[in-house]
Structure formats: structure tokens, C-alpha cells
Amino acid sequence: AASLLAALMASIGILTVSLTRDRAERNRPYFAAFASGVMLSTAIFLLLEAFGGLVMAASASLGGYFSLFVLGRFARRPEGRALAAFVAISMHSTLDGFEYSLLFAASEVAGLLGSAGLIIHEFAEGVVLFLILRTGGLSKAMAIPLALLGAALTTPLGAVLTVTFLPEV
């Protein structure tokens, strides 16, 4: 349910910005800053949980960071940046779906707190991905479904994959 609410929030962001692109483009740095702030606070909460329970948590965290860093280094042109953003946000949103399942499995409080932050940032995440795709040269007709796929649909997919393939977690 939380992952579907997150998908709805990202979808609302994408559809809103697709209808009011000029205003959204002017406020893009604020959307990105807000999404980053929410994600950073959520990441700190999750890192503390991970470090308390996993020996390899620091290595896994650094591996995720450097994977996206390397992807970003290969994206020099606008269309490359758009593709890199799509891949990164799709991976991120799929992992968000994993997080919902894992947070609620850890405790109801962790699930509610983590989900609140994750759901709130989805609006800005959808906006940012749509704008990056448009800046990369994609038409509005292509950017909308790709942004919905990358920022919205991957979140419930991650939750379903977690429940299906990692029920013991």
C-alpha cells in the first residue's frame, strides 16, 4: 500500500510538471533540493539501521554510491545524462520498493517513519526525472511514460519483488 501511494505521488508530480513545465523548470532546483534532503535524512536513518545489523553494510553503501558515480561519469551529453538519470532513478525507485517491505518487516514505527519520508520525496523525484528527460531532448509524449516507469512503477515493483523473492527477510 505504501509503495502504491509512493507511485501515485510520483505520478502526480510527473503529470503536474508536464502541464506546467515553465513553472516547474524555474523551481527545479527547489524540487531537487527537497528530494535530496528527504532522501538524505531517510538514508541516514536506514544506514544506522543497516550498520547495526550487517557487517558488510558500509561496503554495500559505498558500492551503491560508486556504481551511480561511475554511471554519471559516462553521461557527458544531455541525452547521456537523461539516460543515466533514468537508469539511476529506476534503480533507486526499485530499491525504495525494497525499503518499504524491509522497513515494515523491521517494525511498524520504522515502516511508518521511513514510508513517510519516502512517499514525500516521490513527488519531487517524478518532477526531476521528467525535466531531465525533457532536457535530454525527449518529447513530452516520450518523457511522460518513461518518467512514470522510472519514478513511479518501479517502486511497487520493488515491493512486490521483495515480498515474492525475499519472504524470509
Side-chain angles (χ1 to χ4, degrees), residues 67-119:
S67 296
L68 293 182
F69 177 80
V70 169
L71 178 64
R73 297 297 296 164
F74 287 112
R76 296 288 181 208
R77 294 178 298 181
E79 58 275 5
R81 284 193 296 274
L83 176 62
F86 175 78
V87 170
I89 290 176
S90 295
M91 289 171 44
H92 165 86
S93 291
T94 302
L95 291 175
D96 278 353
F98 287 137
E99 290 175 43
Y100 289 110
S101 300
L102 298 175
L103 285 167
F104 277 104
S107 77
E108 190 173 319
V109 172
L112 291 173
L113 291 174
S115 293
L118 288 167
I119 290 168

Side-chain angles (χ1 to χ4, degrees), residues 4-166:
L4 290 174
L5 187 56
L8 177 63
M9 183 67 81
S11 300
I12 291 169
I14 292 162
L15 296 176
T16 300
V17 73
S18 71
L19 298 173
T20 59
R21 183 167 189 242
D22 293 339
R23 183 181 308 160
E25 189 65 47
R26 284 192 308 271
N27 293 306
R28 181 179 173 179
Y30 300 111
F31 287 125
F34 179 76
S36 298
V38 171
M39 288 168 44
L40 182 60
S41 65
T42 303
I44 289 170
F45 174 77
L46 291 174
L47 281 173
L48 294 174
E49 286 285 321
F51 288 165
L54 293 174
V55 174
M56 297 295 294
S59 298
S61 297
L62 288 174
Y65 171 79
F66 283 114
S67 296
L68 293 182
F69 177 80
V70 169
L71 178 64
R73 297 297 296 164
F74 287 112
R76 296 288 181 208
R77 294 178 298 181
E79 58 275 5
R81 284 193 296 274
L83 176 62
F86 175 78
V87 170
I89 290 176
S90 295
M91 289 171 44
H92 165 86
S93 291
T94 302
L95 291 175
D96 278 353
F98 287 137
E99 290 175 43
Y100 289 110
S101 300
L102 298 175
L103 285 167
F104 277 104
S107 77
E108 190 173 319
V109 172
L112 291 173
L113 291 174
S115 293
L118 288 167
I119 290 168
I120 291 168
H121 93 275
E122 290 295 334
F123 181 88
E125 189 173 285
V127 168
V128 168
L129 181 56
F130 176 82
L131 291 173
I132 290 171
L133 292 172
R134 290 288 285 148
T135 302
L138 273 72
S139 69
K140 186 176 179 179
M142 280 297 291
I144 290 173
L146 282 175
L148 287 169
L149 174 65
L153 297 178
T154 49
T155 303
L157 174 67
V160 168
L161 289 172
T162 303
V163 171
T164 303
F165 295 106
L166 300 172

